[in-house]
Every structure is written in C-alpha cells, then in structure tokens.
Amino acid sequence: MQNIKIAVDAVVFGYQNNTLHVLLIRQKFGSENSYWALPGGLVKEEESLIDAVKRELKEETNVAVNYLEQLYTFGDDIARDSRNRVISVAYMALVDPSKLFLKADTDADEVAWVPVSKIPNLAFDHNLMVEKGLERLKAKLTYQPIGFDLLPPEFLFSELENLYATILQKEIDRRNFRKKMLSFGILEETETIVMQKAGRPAKLFRFNTAEYNQLVKEGFHFEIKFA
C-alpha cells in the first residue's frame, strides 16, 4: 500500500538593485530548529498542482505571481523529507518585487528576498531546486522574453541591459544588444523621460505583449545570443 504525499515548492526569482534574488521563508514546525526554505507545502486532495503552488505562495508570503511554470519533479531521493515519503513538484516564478508586500503566515515565521549569491543551506533539497531554476532561467532568457517579467511595466533600456548581464553573468555589447532588441519590434518607447545620475535623460520603454504574441503566431522566434 502506497503512502506517498505530493508537495509543491516555488522558486520565485525577483530582480532589484541590479541583483537577482530568490524568495525564501523561515519555517518552524513545533521544534527548536528553524530553517530557511522555498515557499511550498502539501497538495490538497481536491486541488490541482498549479492551484496548490499559488495557494501556498499567497498563504506563506502574500505573493501572487503572473509568470509560473513547472520546473522539475523531485522524488528520486526517497529520504528527501525525514518526516514522510514526499514527492515535490517544483515551479519557477518571475516577479517584479518593487510592488509586492511580503507577509509571512501559516507555517512561515519570516519571509525575505535573498540574493542568489548569498543563499544559505536550505531545507530538504531546496538548494538543488534553486540550481535547477537558475539553469532554466539562464537558458530561457536567450530564447524567450521572460526577462520582462522581472522588470516594472516601464523601464530604462539600461535596466534591461543590466538584467541580462547580471543573470547570464556575461559582458554584453550594449550597442549590438540595443540594436538587436529594438529590431524585434516588441518594445515601445514611451514619452516618459527620466533623469539619470550619469549621462543624458532617457525615455522609458515598455514590453508590448500583444505585439509579441501576434508575431509568435506569424512564426517569429525571439533569440538573443552572446559570445
């Protein structure tokens, strides 16, 4: 007789201050030991996986996400959770942290954005989940415009450049990057002008989702390559 539980966990990436962060919670289950972990929990009998991960995120962190995709299933290590045999379906989410209000609740004592370079030892196999999420994010950034989900609706072009350089950890040719990105026809230049600390005032841009979706229907393929 099987007695296997199904869980969901969320690798939520946020980008702020030119740094990529991941959303972590500090958990406590009635013991003296507390630890940092990814938001998540067991799936209820009557709910789908996607509904479960959205519920856990909302309950534990007060975060609702727009971009969410299934990442990987973790269960080959049958002892990954010392309490029960648990198979976890991990999801990757991308958000703009600037408009979010974090609030720890249910079995989360604390919630915080932590730079990916400073992630501590996490509960279970959650460090591996973050690694898988980073691999997916870096790969997908070059063939799908998911980077815009990490930025505010309107942004400086330099912020887009810095996002790519930061996440991919590569030097980019800014002139060629700008030329390539604008050639796609999926960015709109707004009339909003922002004064910068260095350099000339610059206009904000926005990503045109409707135009991108229409181009995809016509066979458009987004691709950004770096040497």
Side-chain angles (χ1 to χ4, degrees):
M1 180 179 177
Q2 283 187 333
N3 185 25
I4 301 175
K5 298 182 183 297
I6 304 295
V8 288
D9 290 293
V11 183
V12 184
F13 291 116
Y15 181 77
Q16 54 187 349
N17 301 321
N18 292 330
T19 303
L20 185 66
H21 294 71
V22 69
L23 187 64
L24 298 179
I25 61 170
R26 188 188 290 275
Q27 289 184 315
K28 193 171 184 180
F29 290 105
S31 70
E32 294 299 320
N33 298 320
S34 62
Y35 47 82
W36 287 99
L38 295 171
L42 295 177
V43 181
K44 295 181 179 179
E45 291 278 353
E46 72 282 359
E47 68 183 346
S48 67
L49 295 176
I50 193 75
D51 286 342
V53 73
K54 288 180 179 179
R55 173 183 56 78
E56 287 287 350
L57 271 173
K58 190 64 178 175
E59 287 179 356
E60 292 185 334
T61 70
N62 195 45
V63 167
V65 297
N66 292 323
Y67 184 91
L68 189 66
E69 69 168 84
Q70 199 170 116
L71 179 63
Y72 201 81
T73 301
F74 294 81
D76 286 335
D77 179 2
I78 63 174
R80 59 177 300 275
D81 189 327
S82 60
R83 299 165 299 175
N84 300 284
R85 175 75 198 279
V86 180
I87 294 173
S88 180
V89 181
Y91 282 78
M92 180 178 76
L94 306 178
V95 296
D96 166 24
S98 64
K99 304 299 182 184
L100 299 177
F101 172 70
L102 300 183
K103 180 185 177 184
D105 208 344
T106 63
D107 56 4
D109 284 348
E110 191 177 346
V111 58
W113 287 109
V114 178
V116 294
S117 61
K118 297 181 180 179
I119 295 173
N121 289 327
L122 304 178
F124 314 118
D125 46 8
H126 288 187
N127 287 91
L128 181 58
M129 291 183 184
V130 174
E131 287 179 22
K132 290 289 185 183
L134 278 170
E135 289 174 7
R136 177 76 62 85
L137 176 60
K138 289 179 180 180
K140 218 163 186 182
L141 204 61
T142 63
Y143 65 85
Q144 193 171 319
I146 60 174
F148 297 107
D149 290 283
L150 293 165
L151 292 171
E154 295 187 354
F155 49 86
L156 290 167
F157 200 92
S158 59
E159 293 175 322
L160 180 62
E161 293 172 338
N162 290 334
L163 182 144
Y164 270 79
T166 298
I167 296 176
L168 297 178
Q169 296 179 307
K170 291 180 179 288
E171 291 288 333
I172 65 173
D173 185 322
R174 293 183 180 271
R175 180 177 294 179
N176 286 339
F177 178 83
R178 185 183 183 94
K179 181 179 178 181
K180 179 75 171 178
M181 192 64 78
L182 292 179
S183 72
F184 293 143
I186 57 177
L187 287 183
E188 293 179 349
E189 189 176 51
T190 73
E191 294 303 314
T192 305
I193 297 177
V194 174
M195 301 299 295
Q196 302 184 86
K197 293 180 180 179
R200 298 176 297 175
K203 287 188 176 182
L204 296 178
F205 286 81
R206 70 168 65 95
F207 175 63
N208 190 327
T209 305
E211 179 65 20
Y212 171 72
N213 291 337
Q214 181 58 39
L215 287 171
V216 169
K217 290 180 181 179
E218 297 169 4
F220 169 73
H221 178 61
F222 178 91
E223 185 178 50
I224 293 286
K225 283 188 175 181
F226 298 91

